[in-house]
Amino acid sequence: MQSLDRYDDIIDVRSPAEFAEDHVPGAINLPVLDNEERARVGTIYKQVSHFEARRVGAGLVAANIGRHLGAALSDKPADYNPLIYCWRGGMRSGAMATILSRVGWRCSLLKGGYRSWRRHVVAELREEGALLPMILIDGQTGTAKTEIIRRLMAQGAPAIDLEGLAAHRGSVFGLMGAPQPAQKGFESRLWDQIRRFDPDTPIIAEAESSTIGRLHIPRRLWDSMQAAPRIEITASVEARARYLVTAYSDLTEDREAILNAINRLRSHHSKAQIAAWREMAESSAYEALAADLARQHYDPAYLRSRKTGGEIKQIALPDTSPEALDKAARQVMEIAGG
């Protein structure tokens, strides 16, 4: 796979719908055919003739590139050096590169287009291969594992926020407002982060199940996580409940969302238990609700699913204050540095 880091911009000329599903990370979308135009040209190709489709398509492509030159590309300098791609490095990206090159810019095409990028991601993440060196942050719900991961990332550690990439907190209360990305998009973002790390340095990630919301952790990464040693974070139920109320503040501002999430637990708990949780939510007793959910639902589920053995260290949080989380992040870095 050619280097993607030496270009001023990566330009994806595919339609907005194709771009939304997945794209090379960091790319900007300057479509030479929008969704409707692409469908129209495809229909002409199938129902009329290849020639007529090319003739109509060429006019639309030229007009769209002209609009980009007058808008998104209007302030680019004389030494502008973009990388351009479409589905497989063919007509759409070639048309854009030809016109931009006539302007005087040094344009390059991504060999094989998006299809080549996707094959590379699949080969690296989905197919069997050498396990990636990893260390997992484990612990019961509310032990601020994701927040510790984010602090590690801010310090430049080779850490991955899987829940952030998946736009989901990994539970029935996990939706973050924005929709989750497509599986392909999740994998591209994931691989873009992994490829930047030193291959000999352990990657730090949170211990997760094999799915986060509706997204699946790719096979090679999941196998690596299963084999990885773990650092367990512990804290009292009271401290965890206080943290959860803060971390899920978006839900405490949307009572209906909390009630809907509680209802999704009906297959796991009695009617009386569900009613008690609903009453807590309706009376805004969120800290009590978080503590009881931890005791009655999440802690037992954690103990049932938790993999035994493999811990290399345990870090006890006195509370979940910023100071305590900063200290925990430093401890994780010391342990990972070994």
Side-chain angles (χ1 to χ4, degrees):
M1 191 72 190
Q2 68 198 89
S3 174
L4 305 177
D5 303 321
R6 59 188 181 89
Y7 300 96
D8 296 326
D9 281 319
I10 301 174
I11 300 176
D12 184 325
V13 303
R14 297 175 304 152
S15 68
E18 293 172 288
F19 183 83
E21 181 183 26
D22 186 30
H23 53 268
V24 174
I28 59 174
N29 189 208
L30 299 181
V32 297
L33 293 173
D34 66 23
N35 298 332
E36 293 181 359
E37 291 167 342
R38 180 169 176 256
R40 177 187 166 195
V41 171
T43 299
I44 295 172
Y45 185 90
K46 292 178 181 178
Q47 298 182 359
V48 183
S49 71
H50 298 180
F51 170 78
E52 184 63 14
R54 288 194 295 268
R55 186 190 67 79
V56 172
L60 294 170
V61 166
N64 286 326
I65 295 175
R67 280 193 288 274
H68 295 319
L69 284 168
L73 301 173
S74 63
D75 62 348
K76 300 303 180 183
D79 60 352
Y80 183 51
N81 178 30
L83 177 69
I84 304 168
Y85 73 90
C86 58
W87 167 247
R88 52 185 180 181
M91 295 180 66
R92 287 183 288 177
S93 57
M96 175 73 94
T98 296
I99 294 176
L100 298 196
S101 295
R102 291 294 183 181
V103 173
W105 291 323
R106 295 180 295 114
C107 301
S108 299
L109 293 175
L110 178 63
K111 296 176 183 177
Y114 164 78
R115 186 171 63 171
S116 176
W117 164 261
R118 178 62 189 161
R119 285 175 174 171
H120 179 71
V121 171
V122 168
E124 293 294 335
L125 286 182
R126 286 193 174 189
E127 297 176 4
E128 289 189 47
L131 297 181
L132 299 165
M134 298 191 73
I135 293 176
L136 300 186
I137 306 297
D138 203 355
Q140 293 173 315
T141 297
T143 48
K145 302 181 293 294
T146 297
E147 188 58 37
I148 291 171
I149 291 287
R150 290 171 181 167
R151 278 169 159 74
L152 290 167
M153 293 172 67
Q155 296 172 25
I160 298 175
D161 178 8
L162 290 170
E163 293 184 358
L165 292 174
H168 198 283
R169 287 171 292 216
S171 73
V172 295
F173 296 89
L175 289 172
M176 295 182 177
Q180 288 192 269
Q183 180 70 31
K184 290 180 180 179
F186 171 61
E187 291 175 2
S188 284
R189 296 179 196 178
L190 185 56
W191 177 242
D192 187 52
Q193 290 199 6
I194 292 174
R195 73 183 181 89
R196 300 174 189 276
F197 298 147
D198 182 336
D200 297 321
T201 301
I203 298 166
I204 304 169
E206 182 176 344
E208 300 279 0
S209 64
S210 60
T211 59
I212 307 176
R214 59 174 177 75
L215 300 178
H216 299 273
I217 294 177
R219 179 176 179 177
R220 183 183 176 203
L221 182 63
W222 178 243
D223 289 346
S224 301
M225 292 171 68
Q226 290 290 91
R230 288 169 286 112
I231 300 170
E232 184 181 19
I233 310 297
T234 65
S236 69
V237 171
E238 294 75 19
R240 291 189 282 136
R242 287 192 294 273
Y243 172 77
L244 286 168
V245 171
T246 301
Y248 287 70
S249 60
D250 56 320
L251 281 182
T252 61
E253 296 171 0
D254 187 349
R255 185 173 298 167
E256 195 62 31
I258 292 182
L259 293 173
N260 289 337
I262 291 172
N263 288 340
R264 289 195 289 273
L265 296 175
R266 283 176 172 169
S267 61
H268 302 283
H269 298 278
S270 68
K271 291 181 179 179
Q273 181 66 83
I274 296 297
W277 286 337
R278 285 182 61 89
E279 183 177 346
M280 291 179 193
E282 288 168 347
S283 61
S284 299
Y286 295 125
E287 197 167 307
L289 174 62
D292 206 52
L293 280 166
R295 292 189 187 98
Q296 304 299 329
H297 180 73
Y298 286 107
D299 288 359
Y302 172 76
L303 291 175
R304 287 193 301 270
S305 63
R306 183 170 177 267
K307 182 180 177 181
T308 58
E311 296 91 346
I312 57 175
K313 196 73 175 180
Q314 187 177 86
I315 297 175
L317 295 176
D319 52 55
T320 54
S321 65
E323 295 76 17
L325 297 182
D326 284 338
K327 181 179 179 181
R330 291 194 297 271
Q331 289 176 292
V332 170
M333 287 188 70
E334 290 171 3
I335 295 167

